[in-house]
Amino acid sequence: MDISEVNVLWNKVKEELEVAVPEHIFATWITPLEAADFENNTLVLLSPHPMAVDILKKNWTDKIRESVKAVLGDNATFSLSYDSDFADRYIKNRKKELSKIVAGQSEEERKSEESKMSLAQMQSSANLNLNLKFDNFVVGENSKFAYNAAFSVANNPSKKFNPLFIYGASGLGKTHLMQAIGHYIIFNKPNLKVRYIRMEDYFNEWMRCFQYNDSPNAKKRQVCNNTLMRKFHQKFQNVDILLMDDIQFIESKMKTMEDFFSTFEALYTNNKQIVIASDRLPGDIPKLDNRLRTRFEMGLVVDIVPPDYETRFEIVKSYAKELGVEADDEVFAYIAENFVNNVRELKGAFNKVSAYAEFSGVGVTLDLAKKALNCEMRKKDITIEKIAQAVSEYFGVTVSDLKSTARQQKISHARHVSVFLARDILQMSYEAIGDYFSKKHTTIMYSCDLISDKLKSDVNLQSEIEEIKVQIRA
């Protein structure tokens, strides 16, 4: 199909999207997209912002798909990816547009426009989520020390607390604080270069620097592409602030640990700020290179623990305000009382309540929240003993097996599922679950995170969990 025809179709889809998504989402992430092709009933979209791809796929896939189908038919779909060439063209065109706009503006207006564009580019290249800033981080007793340390680093990068190592369970705000540091520095110290990345993504990029040698006279083997590796190192070593998330992913990956050690040393030697987040203390990551462990521990190590009731209440209330959803305080109290583990589940609970209200065409009330979340029924007569028994029967093992140190795959998997369900249904603390299964709280954290991650894509596991829940509540 001719590109002009593709653009006509894309403009019609955008008209649908403009009324389907919030104004700020449309202006920030949809408007910059470019349609590259329409082939095999797939509208190919390109983005000039790497972060836009992640945000749109995670939060707005359904809306985009619905709009595509409304214009192109029920069998139509879309693909969305970041394109560096398009990004270069987009920035050049934006600069040309800006120069035309500012021609008739005052010096102050011109500088303001240039500043906004520069900040947007820096935030995108730094891989930062625009929603994660100090302004909307709810500080409680559980996170006060970590917040103060993060704010201190943002104000004085590389002066003290280098590296800053933030640890805690999934969903407590580690990533929020890291990215808040990045945003603060970009806004207040725009001459400094910031980059945020998860260790898993760092590892994947590092692996792409290797290629297979398939020459006839050589065995198939991986060889390093020196040009790609040099660019990779420049990307992460030529920054002023490196924000490395989920560092625990690096354990057991010996070559990657060696490479990251070089990156760490290059940054630290040149007085660049390093901020690291993990679900465990450096000493609790078993197969972490000792050189990295000692360097992580030589800075400031701070933790974030699950929030108390008052903090949970304020988190839900703040989130409702952020979404523009009105609700009574008793709704926030109900959610805060029943969801005690982390920020993500608090927000997830409120999202479910607000969606239930929207689909029902009524306001967000306590009665509606109780109906949507059904917390009383979830907890009724359910104990950790009952969960362990149901899981052991489902997988054909014994409760004693679950509590043992046995590492057979069948027992290990059943143990992970038991731990996850105790956390998910009863909102028990890691320590309490650990006491029952005779395991360290870090081991319990690992089990919960493992099952949570697998549930995102493992259909069989999703079925197992639902079937076991039915047995537990029978």
Side-chain angles (χ1 to χ4, degrees):
M1 182 179 288
D2 184 81
I3 191 63
S4 60
E5 295 177 292
V6 175
N7 286 330
V8 170
L9 295 178
W10 172 229
N11 286 331
K12 291 180 179 179
V13 173
K14 282 200 292 186
E15 289 176 6
E16 295 284 330
L17 277 170
E18 193 167 7
V19 297
V21 303
E23 183 179 350
H24 69 283
I25 295 295
F26 183 85
T28 306
W29 305 122
I30 302 293
T31 299
L33 299 183
E34 178 180 85
D37 200 359
F38 181 60
E39 187 178 10
N40 298 324
N41 259 350
T42 301
L43 182 63
V44 180
L45 301 176
L46 303 179
S47 170
H49 304 305
M51 186 169 60
V53 177
D54 188 44
I55 290 174
L56 291 174
K57 283 185 177 180
K58 282 184 178 178
N59 303 298
W60 304 103
T61 294
D62 290 343
K63 294 293 185 183
I64 298 174
R65 187 181 292 116
E66 288 170 8
S67 297
V68 168
K69 288 183 176 181
V71 174
L72 303 175
D74 289 340
N75 294 324
T77 186
F78 76 98
S79 68
L80 175 61
S81 60
Y82 167 73
D83 185 87
S84 57
D85 292 334
F86 172 45
D88 291 339
R89 285 189 284 109
Y90 178 79
I91 291 172
K92 288 177 182 177
N93 290 335
R94 286 289 292 131
K95 286 181 177 179
K96 288 180 182 178
E97 292 173 9
L98 181 62
S99 63
K100 293 177 182 179
I101 292 172
V102 302
Q105 292 180 332
S106 66
E107 182 69 12
E108 185 176 340
E109 289 173 327
R110 183 182 64 78
K111 287 183 177 180
S112 175
E113 289 290 340
E114 289 177 345
S115 176
K116 288 178 183 177
M117 183 175 176
S118 177
L119 287 171
Q121 287 176 220
M122 285 191 289
Q123 286 170 313
S124 180
S125 64
N127 199 25
L128 298 178
N129 184 326
L130 296 176
N131 295 321
L132 304 180
K133 300 177 182 177
F134 284 120
D135 293 345
N136 62 345
F137 185 90
V138 178
V139 184
E141 289 300 321
N142 66 308
S143 60
K144 185 183 294 183
F145 186 49
Y147 176 89
N148 289 336
F151 195 72
S152 177
V153 164
N155 270 294
N156 298 289
S158 306
K159 302 301 180 185
K160 53 182 179 178
F161 308 149
N162 195 20
L164 174 63
F165 191 100
I166 308 172
Y167 76 96
S170 178
L172 294 180
K174 302 185 300 295
T175 299
H176 193 146
L177 282 181
M178 292 185 80
Q179 296 220 7
I181 291 172
H183 282 298
Y184 188 92
I185 290 173
I186 284 175
F187 272 88
N188 295 280
K189 303 176 188 293
N191 58 312
L192 299 182
K193 190 173 182 180
V194 177
R195 185 171 297 281
Y196 165 88
I197 190 167
R198 297 182 308 130
M199 175 49 71
E200 183 177 1
D201 296 329
Y202 181 94
F203 169 76
N204 290 335
E205 285 196 38
W206 182 81
M207 285 298 295
R208 283 195 287 272
C209 295
F210 288 85
Q211 298 174 336
Y212 282 106
N213 184 345
D214 289 318
S215 58
N217 299 322
K219 291 183 178 179
K220 188 172 183 179
R221 60 189 178 88
Q222 264 193 332
V223 293
C224 178
N225 183 314
N226 293 325
T227 301
L228 290 177
M229 187 60 77
R230 185 170 61 253
K231 289 182 178 180
F232 173 81
H233 286 146
Q234 288 173 347
K235 179 178 179 179
F236 293 103
Q237 294 180 14
N238 295 342
V239 298
D240 298 290
I241 294 89
L242 178 64
L243 308 169
M244 177 62 73
D245 208 349
D246 294 331
I247 194 69
Q248 72 277 354
F249 185 84
I250 202 175
E251 68 171 321
S252 302
K253 298 172 178 62
M254 302 307 297
K255 293 292 185 182
T256 312
M257 280 194 274
E258 289 178 16
D259 186 89
F260 184 66
F261 176 79
S262 299
T263 295
F264 185 101
E265 287 292 277
L267 292 170
Y268 188 81
T269 302
N270 289 301
N271 200 33
K272 307 301 183 182
Q273 178 69 52
I274 305 163
V275 182
I276 299 166
S278 171
D279 64 1
R280 284 162 278 171
L281 279 164
D284 290 332
I285 304 176
K287 297 180 182 178
L288 180 66
D289 185 292
N290 194 53
R291 296 177 303 169
L292 284 174
R293 179 181 291 109
T294 56
R295 279 158 177 78
F296 294 166
E297 292 173 338
M298 73 184 179
L300 177 64
V301 179
V302 298
D303 69 331
I304 303 180
V305 298
D308 57 22
Y309 169 79
E310 288 76 14
T311 306
R312 296 197 301 272
F313 179 91
E314 291 301 326
I315 287 171
V316 183
K317 188 173 183 178
S318 174
Y319 185 57
K321 183 177 180 181
E322 186 179 319
L323 295 179
V325 178
E326 293 186 4
D328 296 331
D329 282 356
E330 56 188 7
V331 173
F332 307 140
Y334 180 74
I335 293 174
E337 286 167 359
N338 287 283
F339 295 86
V340 302
N341 296 324
N342 57 55
V343 177
R344 285 186 192 141
E345 77 171 16
L346 285 168
K347 290 183 176 180
F350 188 79
N351 282 336
K352 186 173 182 179
V353 172
S354 58
Y356 201 96
E358 181 180 341
F359 299 151
S360 303
V362 298
V364 178
T365 64
L366 178 59
D367 287 341
L368 180 131
K370 288 182 176 180
K371 187 175 181 180
L373 300 174
N374 202 18
C375 295
E376 289 74 16
M377 185 59 69
R378 287 173 59 195
K379 294 182 179 179
K380 185 178 180 181
D381 298 328
I382 297 177
T383 63
I384 190 169
E385 288 82 6
K386 186 172 182 179
I387 290 173
Q389 187 62 45
V391 173
S392 62
E393 289 175 1
Y394 185 88
F395 289 108
V397 299
T398 67
V399 174
S400 296
D401 289 332
L402 301 180
K403 293 183 176 183
S404 72
T405 58
R407 293 184 176 274
Q408 292 97 316
Q409 184 176 1
K410 184 178 182 180
I411 295 174
S412 180
H413 178 64
R415 186 183 298 126
H416 292 321
V417 170
S418 299
V419 167
F420 171 81
L421 288 172
R423 182 82 167 163
D424 181 58
I425 297 174
L426 301 177
Q427 284 89 52
M428 293 177 67
S429 68
Y430 293 117
E431 289 76 9
I433 299 173
D435 288 343
Y436 179 80
F437 288 102
S438 302
K439 300 289 183 291
K440 292 181 179 179
H441 79 279
T442 51
T443 303
I444 300 302
M445 287 167 56
Y446 170 77
S447 294
C448 290
D449 290 344
L450 178 69
I451 297 299
S452 294
D453 289 341
K454 285 185 176 180
L455 279 173
K456 296 173 184 176
S457 56
D458 191 330
V459 178
N460 290 331
L461 179 60
Q462 292 170 8
S463 298
E464 288 178 355
I465 294 292
E466 289 307 314
E467 288 171 9
I468 295 170
K469 283 184 175 180
V470 170
Q471 290 184 18
I472 292 171
R473 290 165 181 158

